[in-house]
Amino acid sequence: MRIETDIKLDYQDVLLKPKRSKLSSRKEVLMEREFKFPHSGLKFNTLPIMASNMDGVGTFAMAKVLQKRKMLTVIRKHYSIDDWKKAFKNDLDHQYISVCTGINQMWEEDAIDFNTLKKVLDEFPEIPFITIDVANGYHQNFVDFIKQVRDSFPYKTIIAGNVITAEMTEELILNGVDIVKCGIGPGSVCTTRLMTGVGIPQLSGMIECADAAHGVGGLVIADGGCVYPGDVAKAFGAGSDFVMLGGMLAGHDESEGTVKDGQIEFYGMSSDTAMSIHGSEKAGYRSSEGKLVTLQHRGSVEDTLVEIIGGVRSACTYIGAKRIKDMPKCSTFVRVNQQVNTVFDN
Ligand code: 5GP
């Protein structure tokens, strides 16, 4: 047994220090970034905030709004191939879409589930991104699966996770991942930290993973734990190349959920609710690591996007970052005595 005694921080434990800046308006901030992915070689211009592959978030309706701002959506796993066909007939843009898979079904020749990664990519080979999503990315069979996907799709950009330490971030990139999805337990409807005691505070975790990824030519996504636009700014300041959002994008018209009395349900993908909706069996040895919450329905996601992007833009002007790309080098974090969210909520 060993104890690491250095302090690890979450978004609410810090603030960004304001600095002198030559920017005179928020409009001057360049919110888009041009990436060249290390394995696929794809050049991609994007506003690097993306929608998570969750029910209520990674929907086709969400993607159609996000693509207008060059933002990526990781489409949730449970659409049928007919749903995909319909969506592409209705103005969905391939460029800003990632198909998503776990690591179980894809290579089964006789998989009865039509919505497998391979089948979607056979039908729509223009989709540039593949996301391989598991709750715990520390298994050897996860790495083996990634290698298989990389061999089969050398020109696709592979996003994979989740992990939250340097050595596993490097391991994934060295085995074919372009962008590592980072975060164990910070999610708004996640109960992993409570159920297992496992996790790393997200801000410190991102600083470690970004440093590791950039050292071997890869990129990282900060996945989970953003509650306010300021958290998104802090995630970029910590070195994250992308920020993935679940809860902040949930509860809108684009969530494709049922609105009842002005409320809409949102649940973790490992929750009992998700398992019963998608008919996945909960084995006797497994506990649920997600929860169900009820959110106030918030109308179209457009207004929320304006708030989020406006917040990050404004953060850039406070710290003197002309481009979102410059945020890490312009960021000095100060620790706060009281959790920032507590201050906001009062
Ligand atoms: P949020 O932006 O809501 O804070 O976090 C979104 C992220 O939480 C997702 O992208 C995913 O990585 C994670 N997540 C979603 N559902 C669950 C769940 O049921 N359990 C856990 N442990 N994490 C989840």
Side-chain angles (χ1 to χ4, degrees):
M1 191 277 287
R2 207 161 62 87
I3 298 184
E4 290 185 13
T5 50
D6 57 321
I7 290 174
K8 304 275 189 208
L9 301 165
D10 254 315
Y11 297 130
Q12 70 262 32
D13 299 322
V14 297
L15 287 168
L16 286 160
K17 191 172 180 174
K19 293 183 183 166
R20 287 193 65 181
S21 160
K22 286 190 187 153
L23 291 161
S24 51
S25 155
R26 291 169 203 196
K27 252 196 286 180
E28 287 175 40
V29 177
L30 182 62
M31 292 295 292
E32 288 171 20
R33 262 189 85 170
E34 171 98 10
F35 290 100
K36 183 165 185 222
F37 299 120
H39 293 286
S40 68
L42 176 75
K43 278 194 184 158
F44 185 59
N45 190 261
T46 182
L47 197 162
I49 300 173
M50 62 171 79
S52 169
N53 48 287
M54 297 174 75
D55 291 0
V57 182
T59 63
F60 289 130
M62 187 69 69
K64 281 184 207 166
V65 177
L66 266 56
Q67 71 189 19
K68 291 188 226 156
R69 296 175 184 270
K70 300 190 182 174
M71 293 164 70
L72 198 65
T73 300
V74 181
I75 300 293
R76 65 187 187 87
K77 287 177 210 164
H78 304 94
Y79 282 118
S80 72
I81 210 89
D82 282 341
D83 295 331
W84 278 89
K85 284 182 187 162
K86 222 184 284 165
F88 280 122
K89 267 192 207 131
N90 284 309
D91 299 331
L92 187 69
D93 185 347
H94 294 96
Q95 264 194 89
Y96 301 107
I97 291 295
S98 176
V99 60
C100 181
T101 181
I103 63 170
N104 294 327
Q105 287 164 339
M106 177 181 165
W107 304 104
E108 295 168 14
E109 276 299 307
D110 58 348
I112 358 159
D113 179 4
F114 254 68
N115 193 19
T116 60
L117 175 64
K118 198 157 183 331
K119 282 178 179 155
V120 173
L121 287 176
D122 282 348
E123 191 76 35
F124 307 105
E126 308 91 330
I127 297 174
F129 293 91
I130 296 173
T131 298
I132 308 168
D133 179 57
V134 295
N136 173 1
Y138 286 79
H139 290 289
Q140 185 55 42
N141 51 0
F142 178 52
V143 178
D144 293 342
F145 186 82
I146 288 166
K147 285 194 231 165
Q148 221 176 345
V149 177
R150 173 49 73 210
D151 289 346
S152 307
F153 299 101
Y155 302 112
K156 298 287 181 203
T157 300
I158 298 181
I159 298 170
N162 280 23
V163 299
I164 193 62
T165 49
E167 83 288 355
M168 209 58 207
T169 300
E170 288 166 351
E171 168 90 350
L172 297 188
I173 294 166
L174 296 175
N175 282 287
V177 174
D178 296 283
I179 317 171
V180 179
K181 203 155 82 71
C182 302
I184 299 278
S188 57
V189 281
C190 160
T191 56
T192 294
R193 290 179 183 172
L194 300 174
M195 292 303 293
T196 67
V198 174
I200 290 195
Q202 188 70 353
L203 181 96
S204 294
M206 287 319 302
I207 293 171
E208 177 176 324
C209 293
D211 180 61
H214 298 157
V216 291
L219 299 161
V220 282
I221 302 173
D223 176 22
C226 290
V227 182
Y228 299 102
D231 298 336
V232 180
K234 291 172 192 175
F236 283 124
S240 314
D241 302 290
F242 295 85
V243 177
M244 176 175 267
L245 301 178
M248 286 184 79
L249 301 181
H252 294 94
D253 296 344
E254 294 77 4
S255 299
E256 297 178 352
T258 311
V259 184
K260 210 172 141 202
D261 300 330
Q263 313 249 296
I264 183 166
E265 289 187 338
F266 177 52
Y267 47 84
M269 298 310 289
S270 310
S271 62
D272 285 341
T273 312
M275 287 188 232
S276 73
I277 288 175
H278 299 302
S280 36
E281 251 176 65
K282 183 166 134 189
Y285 55 83
R286 258 186 87 171
S287 64
S288 132
E289 287 179 25
K291 63 181 176 186
L292 167 74
V293 295
T294 306
L295 304 176
Q296 202 69 36
H297 178 246
R298 296 186 276 168
S300 168
V301 78
E302 278 286 1
D303 296 339
T304 302
L305 291 179
V306 170
E307 287 291 303
I308 296 170
I309 296 166
V312 177
R313 235 178 228 290
S314 186
C316 286
T317 60
Y318 274 115
I319 64 171
K322 197 164 172 31
R323 304 173 298 176
I324 209 166
K325 188 182 175 186
D326 298 330
M327 289 187 79
K329 71 176 184 205
C330 298
S331 290
T332 301
F333 289 107
V334 289
R335 286 183 56 202
V336 291
N337 303 325
Q338 202 184 357
Q339 293 200 331
V340 179
N341 294 354
T342 318
V343 177
F344 279 137
D345 291 343
N346 280 341

